Amino acid sequence: MKTSICYLIHFNKQFKHARHYLGSTSNLEARIKTHRQGRGARLMEVIVAAGITWRVVRTWPGDRQRERQLKNRGGHARLCPTCQGATYV
């Protein structure tokens, strides 16, 4: 049985109203590769086409049900360490 993971992507530049993308997958490495190619999710396709850089900033254990719970909470910036002022060494 594969373990699923939820992930939060932070865009380095806001696109219209969007600053983040939240998704879930059973293979994070493959999903990120798909996003980098501008495929998989419409928002990520648009972000890549606009030349906006991004990075995965947080992950949680969980499947699509957990993803839906996180999305329904809204306020992805509250979940984002970059938006909350975390620094990376």
Side-chain angles (χ1 to χ4, degrees):
M1 182 172 136
K2 285 195 170 189
T3 303
S4 292
I5 190 165
C6 295
Y7 58 96
L8 182 67
I9 291 176
H10 174 87
F11 306 143
N12 292 332
K13 178 181 172 188
Q14 186 168 327
F15 182 82
K16 297 187 180 183
H17 69 283
R19 184 81 176 173
H20 301 91
Y21 175 81
L22 195 146
S24 63
T25 185
S26 60
N27 185 337
L28 184 59
E29 186 177 325
R31 186 65 172 160
I32 296 308
K33 183 178 179 181
T34 301
H35 286 324
R36 293 242 181 253
Q37 295 168 346
R39 299 185 353 243
R42 178 67 179 141
L43 177 57
M44 294 307 295
E45 179 182 340
V46 170
I47 293 298
V48 170
I52 297 172
T53 59
W54 53 270
R55 64 184 170 155
V56 176
V57 293
R58 189 166 176 192
T59 61
W60 301 264
D63 55 11
R64 289 184 62 92
Q65 183 177 359
R66 178 68 173 142
E67 174 190 349
R68 178 55 40 210
Q69 289 173 341
L70 291 167
K71 285 181 175 179
N72 286 342
R73 287 174 53 183
H76 297 335
R78 290 190 311 263
L79 303 173
C80 178
T82 301
C83 292
Q84 295 302 313
T87 58
Y88 297 91
V89 178

